């Protein structure tokens, strides 16, 4: 309200030569990050509205009636729901247009430029918050499937991707599902599961492997196997503890997994090397300290 009232006050005595708006955006721009709280819950809100439309006929009837209300510009409830999400991007477009139509010697030019940079940064923070929230939700979904089998949640761990594949086992080729994280790979048997049944949680017999990417010694593309259509697009993962053979349904999926595995394998190895180096330095420092390193007390 304060933001709007200040804009309206400035526009009430608008002058093309002297009126400034950029400073108002600078004053309130950082507060717009609060929209992230709504955006992070937007999908759940949509689901709840859709669910209640189906279950509650009175609620659905009320929303339908309001969508025909001229005072609301014949807008649906869902149209109003998305407006907060569009707010910051629209501010960015507004400032871009203001800057485009403001002369460089105008007193507001530098302020509009500064405001535009700030709004762009705010939009990036909102998007980053949304991505982090979605990643956290996904991590907990997988953890709930795992139950007590594996402690998946770690402060540094991020979900990267998932997908179906086949894995070579002692019983032959088995259908599997892979979850790639920034530091590890989880492979499970691909059974049909329902999120509403506890009995469908992953069992220890479903677990193919939970492997740290820092322990990968190499990744190799496999040549197609003759007369074996399910073994045309494969890769071999050489871990310290074991070797995994993964096969995908097409070349694109294989290359996507290969690229992401290589990317995060290198990152995990680099991080492990840094930790080991720091650990060795601390060890050497501790071993190298002597009593003579402490200054002796002065003699009286």
């Amino acid at each position: 309200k304060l933001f709007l009232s200040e804009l309206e006050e400035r526009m009430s005595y608008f002058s093309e030569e002297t009126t400034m708006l950029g400073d108002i955006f600078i004053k309130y721009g950082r507060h717009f990050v609060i929209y992230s709280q709504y955006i992070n819950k937007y999908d759940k809100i949509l689901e709840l509205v859709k669910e209640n439309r189906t279950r509650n006929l009175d609620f659905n009837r009320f929303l339908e009636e309001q969508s025909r209300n001229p005072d609301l510009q014949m807008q649906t409830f869902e149209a109003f729901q998305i407006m907060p999400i569009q707010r910051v991007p629209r501010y960015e477009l507004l400032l871009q247009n203001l800057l485009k139509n403001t002369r460089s010697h105008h007193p507001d030019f530098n302020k509009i430029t500064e405001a535009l940079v700030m709004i762009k940064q705010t939009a990036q923070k909102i998007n980053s918050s949304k991505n982090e929230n979605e990643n956290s939700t996904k991590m907990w979904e997988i953890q709930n499937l795992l139950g007590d089998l594996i402690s998946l949640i770690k402060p540094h761990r991020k979900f990267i991707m998932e997908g179906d594949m086949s894995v070579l086992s002692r019983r032959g080729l088995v259908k599997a599902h892979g979850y790639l994280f920034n530091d590890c790979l989880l492979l499970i048997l691909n059974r049909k599961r329902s999120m509403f049944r506890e009995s469908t949680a992953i069992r220890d017999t479903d677990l193919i492997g939970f492997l740290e990417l820092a322990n990968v010694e190499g990744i190799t593309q496999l040549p197609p196997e003759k007369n074996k259509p399910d073994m045309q697009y494969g890769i071999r993962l050489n871990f310290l503890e074991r070797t995994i053979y993964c096969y995908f349904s097409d070349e694109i999926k294989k290359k996507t997994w290969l690229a992401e595995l290589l990317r995060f394998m290198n990152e995990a190895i680099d991080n492990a090397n840094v930790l080991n180096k720091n650990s060795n330095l601390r060890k050497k420092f501790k071993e190298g300290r002597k009593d003579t390193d402490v200054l002796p007390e002065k003699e009286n």
Side-chain angles (χ1 to χ4, degrees):
K1 287 184 178 181
L2 292 173
F3 174 64
L4 177 61
S5 64
E6 289 194 32
L7 284 176
E8 288 176 337
E9 183 183 353
R10 291 282 178 90
M11 294 303 294
S12 66
Y13 55 85
F14 178 80
S15 166
E16 199 171 296
E17 298 299 326
T18 60
T19 298
M20 296 180 63
L21 300 174
D23 60 312
I24 301 176
F25 280 91
I26 292 171
K27 182 178 178 180
Y28 293 99
R30 288 189 175 88
H31 299 295
F32 296 154
V33 75
I34 198 171
Y35 283 109
S36 63
Q37 297 179 19
Y38 176 83
I39 292 169
N40 290 343
K41 297 176 182 178
Y42 177 71
D43 291 338
K44 289 183 179 179
I45 294 170
L46 282 183
E47 289 177 12
L48 284 172
V49 171
K50 184 178 179 180
E51 182 180 330
N52 280 283
R53 272 182 174 274
T54 304
R55 292 183 176 182
N56 190 329
L57 295 180
D58 290 336
F59 175 69
N60 185 60
R61 189 180 301 111
F62 171 77
L63 292 184
E64 290 296 327
E65 288 173 357
Q66 295 307 308
S67 68
R68 295 187 290 272
N69 187 341
D71 293 336
L72 299 176
Q73 299 178 348
M74 314 290 281
Q75 296 266 32
T76 64
F77 182 70
E78 289 75 12
F80 284 106
Q81 277 185 288
I82 202 170
M83 285 182 179
I85 293 176
Q86 298 171 333
R87 184 70 60 191
V88 174
R90 285 181 173 177
Y91 287 152
E92 186 176 338
L93 288 174
L94 173 62
L95 288 168
Q96 286 175 348
N97 286 326
L98 274 174
L99 190 63
K100 183 179 178 181
N101 292 281
T102 302
R103 292 184 294 273
S104 59
H105 62 270
H106 192 283
D108 203 23
F109 185 86
N110 290 336
K111 291 294 184 182
I112 294 173
T113 302
E114 185 181 345
L116 180 57
V117 171
M118 179 185 292
I119 292 298
K120 284 183 177 180
Q121 291 173 345
T122 301
Q124 289 173 355
K125 288 179 182 178
I126 291 173
N127 289 335
S128 178
S129 174
K130 184 176 186 295
N131 292 337
E132 288 178 9
N133 183 71
E134 289 174 349
N135 200 290
S136 178
T137 300
K138 184 64 179 181
M139 290 288 292
W140 280 107
E141 285 177 1
I142 302 169
Q143 181 65 77
N144 289 336
L145 279 175
L146 291 168
D148 297 329
L149 187 60
I150 292 171
S151 181
L152 182 68
I153 306 298
K154 304 291 182 185
H156 67 279
R157 184 166 292 155
K158 304 293 182 185
F159 170 77
I160 305 301
M161 63 181 293
E162 67 175 305
D164 291 336
M165 62 185 73
S166 297
V167 175
L168 193 61
S169 70
R170 294 176 182 176
R171 295 173 290 172
L173 212 58
V174 296
K175 298 294 182 183
H177 195 79
Y179 296 93
L180 178 63
F181 305 91
N182 61 324
D183 67 332
C184 59
L185 174 65
L186 171 65
L187 297 173
I188 60 171
L189 289 177
N190 196 355
R191 303 181 189 276
K192 289 185 178 180
R193 293 183 171 81
S194 167
M195 61 185 295
F196 303 106
R197 297 179 184 175
E198 293 183 3
S199 61
T200 58
I202 296 170
R203 300 167 295 183
D204 55 354
T205 52
D206 294 335
L207 184 63
I208 297 173
F210 184 61
L211 305 151
E212 294 186 12
L213 296 182
N215 291 337
V216 177
E217 294 182 316
I219 301 177
T220 309
Q221 295 190 62
L222 298 171
E225 295 282 346
K226 290 183 179 180
N227 302 320
K228 294 182 179 179
D230 292 335
M231 301 176 71
Q232 298 300 299
Y233 311 101
I235 58 175
R236 181 175 63 223
L237 305 173
N238 295 323
F239 290 88
L240 291 175
E241 54 268 50
R242 61 189 288 197
T243 299
I244 303 286
Y245 293 83
C246 300
Y247 292 90
F248 304 91
S249 59
D250 56 57
E251 184 72 12
I252 293 175
K253 286 187 176 64
K254 185 190 83 170
K255 287 186 174 180
T256 301
W257 273 90
L258 180 62
E260 294 300 284
L261 281 164
L262 285 169
R263 173 188 169 195
F264 289 100
M265 175 195 77
N266 290 327
E267 185 179 298
I269 291 172
D270 288 343
N271 290 338
N273 288 338
V274 169
L275 288 173
N276 289 335
K277 183 178 179 181
N278 290 340
S279 178
N280 290 335
L281 285 173
R282 285 194 295 270
K283 184 178 179 182
K284 286 180 180 179
F285 176 75
K286 188 175 180 180
E287 291 174 350
R289 289 187 62 184
K290 301 176 182 178
D291 292 338
T292 54
D293 292 336
V294 181
L295 291 174
E297 294 181 2
K298 292 182 179 181
E299 295 181 1
N300 293 328

